[in-house]
Amino acid sequence: MESIHRIILPSKVIIGPGAIKSIGEIVNEVAGRSKNIGVVTGENTYRIGGRIVEEYLGGHSKVETWIAGDASISTAEKISLKARENNIGLVIGVGGGRVIDVAKYIAFKNNIDVVSVPLAPSHDGIASPFASLKGTSRPTSIYTRTPFAIIADTDLISTAPRRLILSGVGDLLGKLVAVKDWRLAHKLKGEYYGEYAAQLALLSAKHVLKYHELIGSGSREGLRILVEALISSGVAMCIAGSSRPASGSEHLFSHALDLVAPGRALHGEQVALGTIIMLYIYGDSRWRLVRDVMQRIGLPTTARDLGFSPEEVVKALTIAHTIRPERYTILGETGLTQEAAYRILRETGII
């Protein structure tokens, strides 16, 4: 018998040049003028967008701004406590994926709404209810709060470093593997599978494959396509009630790299590399297409490009299946031997 599952979707998505100007209207709709507002941002992102949000909210009774120096559970807990002490009724995350993850966690802990104001299109967490925070018991996502609204100002996002933009492409390419893994788990383990959520996630991957040159050119139109695809992927997770349509063995490989050699590369860069590997393991010839597209736009396709040694990548690939043992993927329950990992990495040109 199927269990009930709740779908909580973002209520408003505002994308385009100057979208940040709608922040006051959104805040009034959610919090009204009586509630205190908490703004979570980073040091650099405060200068780019956090300060602008403060200015637009100047008419509110009280706006507290916190700089999240990292995306650790301890930082999120500290700010969460301050939010409670200041009777914050709405939290706004202004920055990259890490800052927005912290904001979503604070909203979850205080049972309040969160508004996502992404300044970098580096991964699909800008619209999903999941957050990746350091210092939790495992290096994977935790369920937090679906953003009430997403305000994506393409004028501001266009100032993001190119590497962060390409990282967003890498994160979306991973859906080609994630959906295959989800179907496999459904077939072999009887896990819940939702075709609509799966197709929505796949659409976001196919979209960036189709428009990779436009996105890679750094044009406003390409940026908008990327941001919309990232939001679609986040919505797919909302519909599924889990990160399944957006995160499979390619993400497990990325998390394993974070354990073996933390801080070397961006999440989306690692996921893209994992996508090549897992498509190859599936016998899916699209691994070559994915690699070619990555090379064309400048996403790294080798371990050396990302600063990893062959031994580190082999180690990550052999332990990836242990990261979330309850999440069945193409890596199975026993994973890969060192010999198999070496062979796959050589044959895909990663080492």
Side-chain angles (χ1 to χ4, degrees):
M1 185 177 165
E2 280 198 36
S3 59
I4 290 171
H5 101 223
R6 297 177 193 279
I7 298 174
I8 301 167
L9 300 172
S11 295
K12 294 276 168 76
V13 177
I14 301 167
I15 305 177
I20 195 79
K21 293 171 188 168
S22 61
I23 188 75
E25 164 206 328
I26 292 294
V27 165
N28 282 334
E29 192 175 324
V30 192
R33 293 196 171 271
S34 59
K35 288 188 179 174
N36 297 333
I37 312 299
V39 175
V40 181
T41 187
E43 280 182 30
N44 293 331
T45 51
Y46 175 75
R47 290 193 296 273
I48 298 161
R51 183 181 46 78
I52 297 170
V53 168
E54 276 182 343
E55 286 168 11
Y56 278 119
L57 297 181
H60 274 272
S61 53
K62 191 179 179 189
V63 177
E64 292 283 340
T65 300
W66 299 294
I67 304 294
D70 57 33
S72 67
I73 198 83
S74 60
T75 295
E77 283 287 1
K78 278 177 201 160
I79 302 175
S80 182
L81 188 61
K82 287 176 185 170
R84 200 167 304 126
E85 287 166 357
N86 285 278
N87 196 28
I88 298 298
L90 172 72
V91 64
I92 303 169
V94 186
R98 290 176 181 179
V99 162
I100 290 167
D101 280 354
V102 170
K104 289 189 293 190
Y105 182 83
I106 293 162
F108 171 71
K109 290 294 278 189
N110 287 281
N111 195 28
I112 56 177
D113 279 312
V114 59
V115 173
S116 168
V117 183
L119 299 181
S122 55
H123 65 68
D124 57 14
I126 60 177
S128 84
F130 296 92
S132 293
L133 299 174
K134 304 258 184 262
T136 54
S137 57
R138 56 188 189 178
T140 52
S141 300
I142 53 173
Y143 190 88
T144 54
R145 193 91 168 176
T146 299
F148 170 83
I150 300 126
I151 300 172
D153 189 317
T154 48
D155 283 340
L156 298 179
I157 293 170
S158 67
T159 66
R162 178 173 169 79
R163 195 177 167 198
L164 292 177
I165 292 167
L166 295 182
S167 177
V169 175
D171 194 34
L172 288 173
L173 292 173
K175 315 317 166 200
L176 297 170
V177 172
V179 170
K180 286 173 90 76
D181 282 337
W182 196 16
R183 283 182 185 144
L184 187 68
H186 173 64
K187 188 177 174 184
L188 299 183
K189 300 291 180 179
E191 191 179 312
Y192 160 76
Y193 171 79
E195 185 64 32
Y196 185 83
Q199 289 302 325
L200 191 57
L202 272 182
L203 180 64
S204 64
K206 289 173 182 172
H207 213 54
V208 293
L209 279 174
K210 184 176 179 180
Y211 294 105
H212 69 274
E213 286 178 358
L214 198 58
I215 297 167
S217 74
S219 72
R220 296 291 168 94
E221 190 186 350
L223 207 57
R224 187 180 187 125
I225 287 168
L226 175 59
V227 171
E228 287 175 352
L230 289 166
I231 291 169
S232 287
S233 178
V235 169
M237 287 187 262
C238 293
I239 293 168
S242 81
S243 60
R244 258 303 193 181
S247 172
S249 48
E250 79 299 334
H251 268 69
L252 297 181
F253 171 70
S254 174
H255 293 314
L257 279 174
D258 289 337
L259 288 178
V260 172
R264 298 270 178 88
L266 296 174
H267 171 75
E269 293 171 334
Q270 296 177 172
V271 166
L273 214 58
T275 302
I276 295 172
I277 296 165
M278 304 310 163
L279 286 175
Y280 177 88
I281 294 171
Y282 265 111
D284 187 329
S285 61
R286 288 179 300 173
W287 72 267
R288 286 191 179 87
L289 168 67
V290 167
R291 187 181 64 180
D292 290 349
V293 163
M294 287 167 63
Q295 285 171 340
R296 249 177 258 146
I297 63 174
L299 260 173
T301 57
T302 70
R304 185 186 290 157
D305 289 344
L306 286 178
F308 297 112
S309 69
E311 293 73 24
E312 286 168 336
V313 184
V314 167
K315 175 78 190 289
L317 190 48
T318 56
I319 66 166
H321 71 288
T322 67
I323 301 293
R324 287 191 79 167
E326 79 287 358
R327 177 157 286 190
Y328 192 81
T329 70
I330 189 64
L331 296 172
E333 283 154 2
T334 53
L336 298 172
T337 63
Q338 215 172 31
E339 294 72 28
Y342 262 113
R343 181 179 58 78
I344 290 161
L345 292 166
R346 277 198 302 267
E347 289 179 9
T348 52
I350 288 167
I351 60 172

